[in-house]
Amino acid sequence: MEIDSDTNDCQANTADSEPEFTMATEIFNKDTTIELRKKHIGPSCKVFFGKDPIKIIRAEGQYMYNEKGERYLDCINNVAHVGHSHPYVVNAAVKQMELLNTNSRFLHDNLVQYAQRLTATLPEQLSVCYFVNSGSEANDLALRLARQHTGNEDIITLNHAYHGHVSSLIDISPYKFLQLDKSAKKDFVHVASTPDIYRGKFREDHPDPATAYADEVKDIMQEAHRNGRKIAAFIAESLQSCGGQIIPPAGYFQKVAQHVRKAGGVFIADEVQVGFGRVGKHFWAFQLQGEDFTPDIVTMGKPIGNGHPLSCVVTTKEIAESFMSSGMEYFNTFGGNPVSCAIGNAVLDVIEKQDLQGNADKVGNYLIELLNEQKEKHPLIGDIRGVGLFVGVDMVKDRVKRTPATAEAQHVIYKLKEHNILLSADGPHRNILKFKPPMCFSEEDAKFAVDNIDEILTAIENATMVKTDNVESNAADNGACKRKMTSYDNEHSSGENGHHEHTNGNGAACGQQIVHSHDSHKVSCKRIRT
Amino acid sequence: MEIDSDTNDCQANTADSEPEFTMATEIFNKDTTIELRKKHIGPSCKVFFGKDPIKIIRAEGQYMYNEKGERYLDCINNVAHVGHSHPYVVNAAVKQMELLNTNSRFLHDNLVQYAQRLTATLPEQLSVCYFVNSGSEANDLALRLARQHTGNEDIITLNHAYHGHVSSLIDISPYKFLQLDKSAKKDFVHVASTPDIYRGKFREDHPDPATAYADEVKDIMQEAHRNGRKIAAFIAESLQSCGGQIIPPAGYFQKVAQHVRKAGGVFIADEVQVGFGRVGKHFWAFQLQGEDFTPDIVTMGKPIGNGHPLSCVVTTKEIAESFMSSGMEYFNTFGGNPVSCAIGNAVLDVIEKQDLQGNADKVGNYLIELLNEQKEKHPLIGDIRGVGLFVGVDMVKDRVKRTPATAEAQHVIYKLKEHNILLSADGPHRNILKFKPPMCFSEEDAKFAVDNIDEILTAIENATMVKTDNVESNAADNGACKRKMTSYDNEHSSGENGHHEHTNGNGAACGQQIVHSHDSHKVSCKRIRT
């Protein structure tokens, strides 16, 4: 099957609702579905929009359809990476399923070919793969690798981090364990501040937030050492997702890695949510930090199989050999089976041949530009941050205090749903509107979503008597939409139309130039060589 | 697509090798595959027959084909439960993949229908499902459920148990952690003896091994309590697999459950390897213990999706509500997606419509009968134990001492491979030949495998000068192939031809009658109502 490489629209926009077909895929009416779900599915498993959940019965590209054939624009499903139900991926799956699906104790070419292709996207030293079934399995294995390699136990994690649902990962996910009582933090876990330059400890007006945040990690390790503890790993998402779409200042990872390695630990980059070209200019989000940065372990998940349960851990030969030295076999029943690998290969094909990375860059920049226009207009928007199709809208009640506008963010989400747009809110205060759509998301989709957000925010502001003409003076007063350039920035330019300058403090170690631009739209976000 | 319900042969026996097709599925020659695997796949991930691994490129039913089109009889892949590449399952997957694959935060009928069907196979109180991607995820979640529900931490596990590869499960898997140093056992883990009546602490000559083994669990809990510890759960495979194909005496689980619940803990039955009709007479292996036994949590995996990464935890409403009471959402990205559930439903369809449970019973009994004939002939066979298509051949150097014949078992495995039969050896001494074939395994397959084992054992015995005419007197002398009936047995019958009587001591609490019989072959294993 050929992929059409001439277009970024990986799926035709099929607006017709095909009623017979859609009805045929419904087994129960919606009320019965809800009733059965209440009876037979664990109540901890939540649905979106709990009071009036959505029943989706088919999807194509960036569109999902409910049981009535009504179309929703999908701005949230980062798992359906190359587009829902992509026929090329389905075809690859079918062909392999018809032939063979077995475990990796038998030799199979799909496994080694996929490993070869995945490692080719990474720095050379990251050459050894372990295939697993979920991001949770990947992160758990990463911890095992780190502990076996270093002989140490302790893990440094970021505040608000989420790394998965198995026991070992709840332990290192403050996003989760802080919901329990304080005693839920285990002694081997050390929580460092999120490198959030908008709402964090060191902000955009700090001369060097990358160094400041990294120094905190160093201090934490020194304190741990004083208590007789030893560091196995620092783990962080390359961009923090559930924690609120946080983009760490460039240079931060290099400095942290330096401190962690000096302390005998390794650096784990969790790319489960943000890898596979989502950030546009790079295939991996950690590459935003600069070419001089290489993690010791990278974990992959969600988008890797376009919805198929597939994940991977990639590490160095040295760490893999340490892991083997225990003598303990690592066997994962489904991990790396020929079907999973065929699907993984197909996803790589589509990303490449349809230039979805280019699309993420182009459409992402356009989306950020549109959202920045909204920020000029709506005081409820405190910050727009993003790279590629990973974008956050930080909603605030007050731009000076940056008070999270949680209720307003939830209102936006619910109103968007009424307009058939699926968006979600996350972060510790659940006030960050979170864009992470399928990678075939178009400029028209971006415009449609943002126009609707504009309408909803206008209505909220009118209802609460916040006049939009206050915005300019607010913005001028509190500087919320201006981030001071750090001393490491030796070049920076303002986006036009007063676009928010998301120029992070990129330390001396960071020599990477990231200039987003495309023909038809203005640059909204620049990261500049130091 | 219709399933042919008139036949147990779920796959046509296609002996033709289709060379063009098979060649087309090879990307690299075998040497290159091996080389790439060495370079890019973690060395802890072992292949079968490491010195000369097998490259499998297609499979159907119970047969696998290498790159040359040579056919192997598969006696080991319990994951390909309804037969490799079953077209009905593939078709269900394809249809759903073309339509929709998304997460369980949207309503979908496949999810609730599958949950309804799965819970219908279980006692009524086991009514709430959590869908996950692997047996490891399932067992980890089971521990989380148990701990949240009981408020306790400690876990009692059986010696030689294996429950999965994530950190929390390595901790409770002596099969794994005993490979490390002794300090690898965590304080919250308590190891009870494997209820193995052949090589364990209490054997077939014990008047009531079920009670004796269960009392040991009680003693362990009392000791833990004295040390200020509290029990969250007892976990055991319903039949221990990696630990050596162990069939616990009936009544053991009931007594253990009584003790564990009294201590505030719950009973977790791990059905990952042995569920879904493999034992023949029952859908779940824990049901072999008697109708009066219901676990609090059941975990499922391997066969559930015929190779697709799918697993499930089923528990009671009470435990599910306790789990929810923490307020923490449980979200599993891929768990319970419409494709996984479509596949799960299709597997249930095939088991039912092709009566694979009946086939497991019939062929399993025949296989056990054939193996018992071999036991009469070969002193290297110390014990034959099994139910349905879960059968172990315990190889011994000496029937009196029951010394594990590890090297001989390995030799058998390697020789069988030369004869194109895939079998494996497991157990703490790796001396148990382990049958767990796809459920469409036929009597002809059983005969073919056993004839080959006969030939190989004869050759070993000839080479080592063990005369087969010694067997009878050995058997008579040491009673290795006779298990004394316990006081709880009020009916038992000898299999003909001196078949090994695997009548377990089933306690007073066990009122279950399991009489294996089929038309054309003699009964080799009876468990009798007390």
Side-chain angles (χ1 to χ4, degrees), chain A residues 380 395-397 403-415 425 430-431 433 456-457 460-461 464:
Chain A
L380 277 166
M395 289 189 61
V396 294
K397 290 183 186 206
T403 328
T406 304
E408 291 81 355
Q410 294 303 315
H411 179 78
V412 171
I413 296 304
Y414 273 82
K415 277 288 170 191
R430 303 194 61 205
N431 68 313
L433 305 181
I456 295 162
L457 291 182
I460 297 176
E461 285 158 0
T464 55

PDB file of all heavy atoms in Angstrom, chain A residues 380 395-397 403-415 425 430-431 433 456-457 460-461 464:
ATOM      1  N   LEU A 380      -8.154  36.292  30.411  1.00  0.00           N
ATOM      2  CA  LEU A 380      -8.166  34.958  31.022  1.00  0.00           C
ATOM      3  C   LEU A 380      -6.991  34.094  30.565  1.00  0.00           C
ATOM      4  O   LEU A 380      -6.703  33.067  31.166  1.00  0.00           O
ATOM      5  CB  LEU A 380      -9.485  34.235  30.697  1.00  0.00           C
ATOM      6  CG  LEU A 380     -10.678  34.564  31.602  1.00  0.00           C
ATOM      7  CD1 LEU A 380     -11.975  34.069  30.963  1.00  0.00           C
ATOM      8  CD2 LEU A 380     -10.506  33.947  32.987  1.00  0.00           C
ATOM      9  N   MET A 395      -4.641  29.288  31.716  1.00  0.00           N
ATOM     10  CA  MET A 395      -5.718  30.229  32.020  1.00  0.00           C
ATOM     11  C   MET A 395      -5.597  30.763  33.447  1.00  0.00           C
ATOM     12  O   MET A 395      -5.398  30.005  34.395  1.00  0.00           O
ATOM     13  CB  MET A 395      -7.072  29.562  31.785  1.00  0.00           C
ATOM     14  CG  MET A 395      -7.325  29.371  30.284  1.00  0.00           C
ATOM     15  SD  MET A 395      -9.003  28.821  29.940  1.00  0.00           S
ATOM     16  CE  MET A 395      -9.960  30.189  30.590  1.00  0.00           C
ATOM     17  N   VAL A 396      -5.708  32.094  33.559  1.00  0.00           N
ATOM     18  CA  VAL A 396      -5.510  32.751  34.861  1.00  0.00           C
ATOM     19  C   VAL A 396      -6.670  33.681  35.186  1.00  0.00           C
ATOM     20  O   VAL A 396      -7.305  34.251  34.297  1.00  0.00           O
ATOM     21  CB  VAL A 396      -4.199  33.585  34.869  1.00  0.00           C
ATOM     22  CG1 VAL A 396      -2.993  32.669  34.747  1.00  0.00           C
ATOM     23  CG2 VAL A 396      -4.197  34.641  33.759  1.00  0.00           C
ATOM     24  N   LYS A 397      -6.912  33.845  36.458  1.00  0.00           N
ATOM     25  CA  LYS A 397      -7.919  34.811  36.896  1.00  0.00           C
ATOM     26  C   LYS A 397      -7.305  36.194  36.964  1.00  0.00           C
ATOM     27  O   LYS A 397      -8.002  37.207  36.944  1.00  0.00           O
ATOM     28  CB  LYS A 397      -8.427  34.432  38.291  1.00  0.00           C
ATOM     29  CG  LYS A 397      -9.268  33.184  38.292  1.00  0.00           C
ATOM     30  CD  LYS A 397      -9.802  32.914  39.678  1.00  0.00           C
ATOM     31  CE  LYS A 397     -10.525  31.577  39.666  1.00  0.00           C
ATOM     32  NZ  LYS A 397     -11.546  31.472  40.670  1.00  0.00           N
ATOM     33  N   THR A 403      -3.066  33.550  39.108  1.00  0.00           N
ATOM     34  CA  THR A 403      -3.987  32.650  39.800  1.00  0.00           C
ATOM     35  C   THR A 403      -4.671  31.728  38.788  1.00  0.00           C
ATOM     36  O   THR A 403      -5.287  32.213  37.836  1.00  0.00           O
ATOM     37  CB  THR A 403      -5.105  33.467  40.500  1.00  0.00           C
ATOM     38  OG1 THR A 403      -4.564  34.708  40.913  1.00  0.00           O
ATOM     39  CG2 THR A 403      -5.723  32.690  41.641  1.00  0.00           C
ATOM     40  N   PRO A 404      -4.567  30.427  38.981  1.00  0.00           N
ATOM     41  CA  PRO A 404      -5.164  29.502  38.004  1.00  0.00           C
ATOM     42  C   PRO A 404      -6.674  29.695  37.867  1.00  0.00           C
ATOM     43  O   PRO A 404      -7.381  29.769  38.871  1.00  0.00           O
ATOM     44  CB  PRO A 404      -4.859  28.126  38.597  1.00  0.00           C
ATOM     45  CG  PRO A 404      -3.713  28.340  39.525  1.00  0.00           C
ATOM     46  CD  PRO A 404      -3.879  29.715  40.069  1.00  0.00           C
ATOM     47  N   ALA A 405      -7.141  29.782  36.634  1.00  0.00           N
ATOM     48  CA  ALA A 405      -8.577  29.938  36.370  1.00  0.00           C
ATOM     49  C   ALA A 405      -9.168  28.559  36.089  1.00  0.00           C
ATOM     50  O   ALA A 405      -9.543  28.232  34.954  1.00  0.00           O
ATOM     51  CB  ALA A 405      -8.796  30.890  35.204  1.00  0.00           C
ATOM     52  N   THR A 406      -9.242  27.755  37.139  1.00  0.00           N
ATOM     53  CA  THR A 406      -9.650  26.359  36.989  1.00  0.00           C
ATOM     54  C   THR A 406     -11.079  26.228  36.479  1.00  0.00           C
ATOM     55  O   THR A 406     -11.340  25.536  35.488  1.00  0.00           O
ATOM     56  CB  THR A 406      -9.488  25.620  38.339  1.00  0.00           C
ATOM     57  OG1 THR A 406      -8.134  25.776  38.766  1.00  0.00           O
ATOM     58  CG2 THR A 406      -9.817  24.137  38.202  1.00  0.00           C
ATOM     59  N   ALA A 407     -11.996  26.888  37.140  1.00  0.00           N
ATOM     60  CA  ALA A 407     -13.402  26.758  36.756  1.00  0.00           C
ATOM     61  C   ALA A 407     -13.614  27.250  35.323  1.00  0.00           C
ATOM     62  O   ALA A 407     -14.347  26.630  34.543  1.00  0.00           O
ATOM     63  CB  ALA A 407     -14.279  27.557  37.719  1.00  0.00           C
ATOM     64  N   GLU A 408     -12.942  28.333  34.989  1.00  0.00           N
ATOM     65  CA  GLU A 408     -13.087  28.885  33.637  1.00  0.00           C
ATOM     66  C   GLU A 408     -12.540  27.903  32.591  1.00  0.00           C
ATOM     67  O   GLU A 408     -13.135  27.743  31.521  1.00  0.00           O
ATOM     68  CB  GLU A 408     -12.352  30.236  33.534  1.00  0.00           C
ATOM     69  CG  GLU A 408     -12.994  31.370  34.326  1.00  0.00           C
ATOM     70  CD  GLU A 408     -12.642  31.366  35.823  1.00  0.00           C
ATOM     71  OE1 GLU A 408     -11.964  30.424  36.286  1.00  0.00           O
ATOM     72  OE2 GLU A 408     -13.067  32.302  36.525  1.00  0.00           O
ATOM     73  N   ALA A 409     -11.407  27.279  32.916  1.00  0.00           N
ATOM     74  CA  ALA A 409     -10.827  26.311  31.969  1.00  0.00           C
ATOM     75  C   ALA A 409     -11.797  25.145  31.771  1.00  0.00           C
ATOM     76  O   ALA A 409     -12.031  24.697  30.634  1.00  0.00           O
ATOM     77  CB  ALA A 409      -9.480  25.797  32.483  1.00  0.00           C
ATOM     78  N   GLN A 410     -12.390  24.690  32.875  1.00  0.00           N
ATOM     79  CA  GLN A 410     -13.351  23.585  32.763  1.00  0.00           C
ATOM     80  C   GLN A 410     -14.563  24.014  31.937  1.00  0.00           C
ATOM     81  O   GLN A 410     -15.089  23.249  31.137  1.00  0.00           O
ATOM     82  CB  GLN A 410     -13.796  23.128  34.165  1.00  0.00           C
ATOM     83  CG  GLN A 410     -12.669  22.506  34.998  1.00  0.00           C
ATOM     84  CD  GLN A 410     -12.022  21.311  34.309  1.00  0.00           C
ATOM     85  OE1 GLN A 410     -12.716  20.449  33.768  1.00  0.00           O
ATOM     86  NE2 GLN A 410     -10.697  21.277  34.279  1.00  0.00           N
ATOM     87  N   HIS A 411     -14.997  25.254  32.146  1.00  0.00           N
ATOM     88  CA  HIS A 411     -16.125  25.774  31.388  1.00  0.00           C
ATOM     89  C   HIS A 411     -15.811  25.772  29.881  1.00  0.00           C
ATOM     90  O   HIS A 411     -16.646  25.376  29.061  1.00  0.00           O
ATOM     91  CB  HIS A 411     -16.445  27.195  31.876  1.00  0.00           C
ATOM     92  CG  HIS A 411     -17.584  27.833  31.147  1.00  0.00           C
ATOM     93  ND1 HIS A 411     -18.909  27.536  31.415  1.00  0.00           N
ATOM     94  CD2 HIS A 411     -17.607  28.745  30.132  1.00  0.00           C
ATOM     95  CE1 HIS A 411     -19.691  28.240  30.614  1.00  0.00           C
ATOM     96  NE2 HIS A 411     -18.926  28.983  29.830  1.00  0.00           N
ATOM     97  N   VAL A 412     -14.608  26.191  29.555  1.00  0.00           N
ATOM     98  CA  VAL A 412     -14.208  26.215  28.139  1.00  0.00           C
ATOM     99  C   VAL A 412     -14.291  24.811  27.539  1.00  0.00           C
ATOM    100  O   VAL A 412     -14.849  24.606  26.453  1.00  0.00           O
ATOM    101  CB  VAL A 412     -12.772  26.783  27.971  1.00  0.00           C
ATOM    102  CG1 VAL A 412     -12.277  26.605  26.531  1.00  0.00           C
ATOM    103  CG2 VAL A 412     -12.736  28.260  28.371  1.00  0.00           C
ATOM    104  N   ILE A 413     -13.759  23.863  28.277  1.00  0.00           N
ATOM    105  CA  ILE A 413     -13.750  22.479  27.807  1.00  0.00           C
ATOM    106  C   ILE A 413     -15.170  21.963  27.551  1.00  0.00           C
ATOM    107  O   ILE A 413     -15.447  21.350  26.510  1.00  0.00           O
ATOM    108  CB  ILE A 413     -13.059  21.586  28.881  1.00  0.00           C
ATOM    109  CG1 ILE A 413     -11.594  21.976  29.059  1.00  0.00           C
ATOM    110  CG2 ILE A 413     -13.195  20.109  28.565  1.00  0.00           C
ATOM    111  CD1 ILE A 413     -10.798  21.926  27.800  1.00  0.00           C
ATOM    112  N   TYR A 414     -16.060  22.250  28.497  1.00  0.00           N
ATOM    113  CA  TYR A 414     -17.443  21.788  28.350  1.00  0.00           C
ATOM    114  C   TYR A 414     -18.167  22.494  27.212  1.00  0.00           C
ATOM    115  O   TYR A 414     -18.946  21.874  26.479  1.00  0.00           O
ATOM    116  CB  TYR A 414     -18.203  21.944  29.686  1.00  0.00           C
ATOM    117  CG  TYR A 414     -18.020  20.747  30.577  1.00  0.00           C
ATOM    118  CD1 TYR A 414     -16.877  20.612  31.366  1.00  0.00           C
ATOM    119  CD2 TYR A 414     -18.955  19.712  30.597  1.00  0.00           C
ATOM    120  CE1 TYR A 414     -16.677  19.498  32.158  1.00  0.00           C
ATOM    121  CE2 TYR A 414     -18.766  18.590  31.395  1.00  0.00           C
ATOM    122  CZ  TYR A 414     -17.631  18.486  32.173  1.00  0.00           C
ATOM    123  OH  TYR A 414     -17.432  17.363  32.946  1.00  0.00           O
ATOM    124  N   LYS A 415     -17.897  23.783  27.073  1.00  0.00           N
ATOM    125  CA  LYS A 415     -18.530  24.528  25.980  1.00  0.00           C
ATOM    126  C   LYS A 415     -18.003  24.041  24.626  1.00  0.00           C
ATOM    127  O   LYS A 415     -18.759  23.902  23.668  1.00  0.00           O
ATOM    128  CB  LYS A 415     -18.244  26.033  26.144  1.00  0.00           C
ATOM    129  CG  LYS A 415     -19.190  26.716  27.117  1.00  0.00           C
ATOM    130  CD  LYS A 415     -20.574  26.836  26.483  1.00  0.00           C
ATOM    131  CE  LYS A 415     -21.614  27.273  27.478  1.00  0.00           C
ATOM    132  NZ  LYS A 415     -22.983  27.125  26.931  1.00  0.00           N
ATOM    133  N   ALA A 425      -8.278  19.835  29.899  1.00  0.00           N
ATOM    134  CA  ALA A 425      -7.530  20.744  30.776  1.00  0.00           C
ATOM    135  C   ALA A 425      -6.743  19.897  31.756  1.00  0.00           C
ATOM    136  O   ALA A 425      -7.239  18.885  32.249  1.00  0.00           O
ATOM    137  CB  ALA A 425      -8.488  21.669  31.511  1.00  0.00           C
ATOM    138  N   ARG A 430      -5.491  22.099  36.961  1.00  0.00           N
ATOM    139  CA  ARG A 430      -6.434  21.788  35.879  1.00  0.00           C
ATOM    140  C   ARG A 430      -6.897  23.041  35.132  1.00  0.00           C
ATOM    141  O   ARG A 430      -8.044  23.143  34.710  1.00  0.00           O
ATOM    142  CB  ARG A 430      -7.629  20.987  36.415  1.00  0.00           C
ATOM    143  CG  ARG A 430      -7.174  19.696  37.116  1.00  0.00           C
ATOM    144  CD  ARG A 430      -8.319  18.729  37.356  1.00  0.00           C
ATOM    145  NE  ARG A 430      -8.922  18.311  36.091  1.00  0.00           N
ATOM    146  CZ  ARG A 430     -10.173  17.897  35.988  1.00  0.00           C
ATOM    147  NH1 ARG A 430     -10.952  17.847  37.050  1.00  0.00           N
ATOM    148  NH2 ARG A 430     -10.663  17.536  34.821  1.00  0.00           N
ATOM    149  N   ASN A 431      -5.974  23.945  34.955  1.00  0.00           N
ATOM    150  CA  ASN A 431      -6.313  25.193  34.270  1.00  0.00           C
ATOM    151  C   ASN A 431      -5.570  25.375  32.952  1.00  0.00           C
ATOM    152  O   ASN A 431      -5.614  26.443  32.356  1.00  0.00           O
ATOM    153  CB  ASN A 431      -5.994  26.388  35.181  1.00  0.00           C
ATOM    154  CG  ASN A 431      -4.486  26.551  35.382  1.00  0.00           C
ATOM    155  OD1 ASN A 431      -3.805  25.565  35.659  1.00  0.00           O
ATOM    156  ND2 ASN A 431      -3.975  27.751  35.217  1.00  0.00           N
ATOM    157  N   LEU A 433      -5.325  24.490  29.190  1.00  0.00           N
ATOM    158  CA  LEU A 433      -5.952  23.855  28.030  1.00  0.00           C
ATOM    159  C   LEU A 433      -4.836  23.168  27.250  1.00  0.00           C
ATOM    160  O   LEU A 433      -3.801  23.763  26.976  1.00  0.00           O
ATOM    161  CB  LEU A 433      -6.657  24.891  27.153  1.00  0.00           C
ATOM    162  CG  LEU A 433      -7.692  25.793  27.838  1.00  0.00           C
ATOM    163  CD1 LEU A 433      -8.321  26.744  26.809  1.00  0.00           C
ATOM    164  CD2 LEU A 433      -8.771  24.967  28.527  1.00  0.00           C
ATOM    165  N   ILE A 456     -16.134  31.525  23.267  1.00  0.00           N
ATOM    166  CA  ILE A 456     -16.458  31.101  24.633  1.00  0.00           C
ATOM    167  C   ILE A 456     -15.846  32.070  25.662  1.00  0.00           C
ATOM    168  O   ILE A 456     -16.507  32.473  26.624  1.00  0.00           O
ATOM    169  CB  ILE A 456     -15.977  29.647  24.876  1.00  0.00           C
ATOM    170  CG1 ILE A 456     -16.747  28.687  23.965  1.00  0.00           C
ATOM    171  CG2 ILE A 456     -16.151  29.248  26.344  1.00  0.00           C
ATOM    172  CD1 ILE A 456     -16.097  27.321  23.797  1.00  0.00           C
ATOM    173  N   LEU A 457     -14.588  32.440  25.429  1.00  0.00           N
ATOM    174  CA  LEU A 457     -13.934  33.370  26.366  1.00  0.00           C
ATOM    175  C   LEU A 457     -14.643  34.721  26.367  1.00  0.00           C
ATOM    176  O   LEU A 457     -14.825  35.341  27.426  1.00  0.00           O
ATOM    177  CB  LEU A 457     -12.453  33.544  25.999  1.00  0.00           C
ATOM    178  CG  LEU A 457     -11.551  32.329  26.223  1.00  0.00           C
ATOM    179  CD1 LEU A 457     -10.102  32.665  25.853  1.00  0.00           C
ATOM    180  CD2 LEU A 457     -11.612  31.841  27.674  1.00  0.00           C
ATOM    181  N   ILE A 460     -17.673  34.376  28.476  1.00  0.00           N
ATOM    182  CA  ILE A 460     -17.339  34.351  29.917  1.00  0.00           C
ATOM    183  C   ILE A 460     -17.030  35.776  30.384  1.00  0.00           C
ATOM    184  O   ILE A 460     -17.527  36.232  31.416  1.00  0.00           O
ATOM    185  CB  ILE A 460     -16.096  33.469  30.209  1.00  0.00           C
ATOM    186  CG1 ILE A 460     -16.338  32.013  29.840  1.00  0.00           C
ATOM    187  CG2 ILE A 460     -15.702  33.578  31.688  1.00  0.00           C
ATOM    188  CD1 ILE A 460     -15.110  31.120  30.026  1.00  0.00           C
ATOM    189  N   GLU A 461     -16.202  36.458  29.618  1.00  0.00           N
ATOM    190  CA  GLU A 461     -15.760  37.796  30.026  1.00  0.00           C
ATOM    191  C   GLU A 461     -16.927  38.773  30.070  1.00  0.00           C
ATOM    192  O   GLU A 461     -17.029  39.595  30.983  1.00  0.00           O
ATOM    193  CB  GLU A 461     -14.639  38.278  29.099  1.00  0.00           C
ATOM    194  CG  GLU A 461     -13.329  37.562  29.425  1.00  0.00           C
ATOM    195  CD  GLU A 461     -12.327  37.552  28.269  1.00  0.00           C
ATOM    196  OE1 GLU A 461     -12.653  38.103  27.194  1.00  0.00           O
ATOM    197  OE2 GLU A 461     -11.246  36.986  28.432  1.00  0.00           O
ATOM    198  N   THR A 464     -18.898  38.002  33.142  1.00  0.00           N
ATOM    199  CA  THR A 464     -18.247  38.383  34.398  1.00  0.00           C
ATOM    200  C   THR A 464     -17.779  39.833  34.379  1.00  0.00           C
ATOM    201  O   THR A 464     -17.040  40.264  35.254  1.00  0.00           O
ATOM    202  CB  THR A 464     -17.052  37.457  34.688  1.00  0.00           C
ATOM    203  OG1 THR A 464     -16.181  37.489  33.559  1.00  0.00           O
ATOM    204  CG2 THR A 464     -17.506  36.038  34.951  1.00  0.00           C
TER     205      THR A 464
END
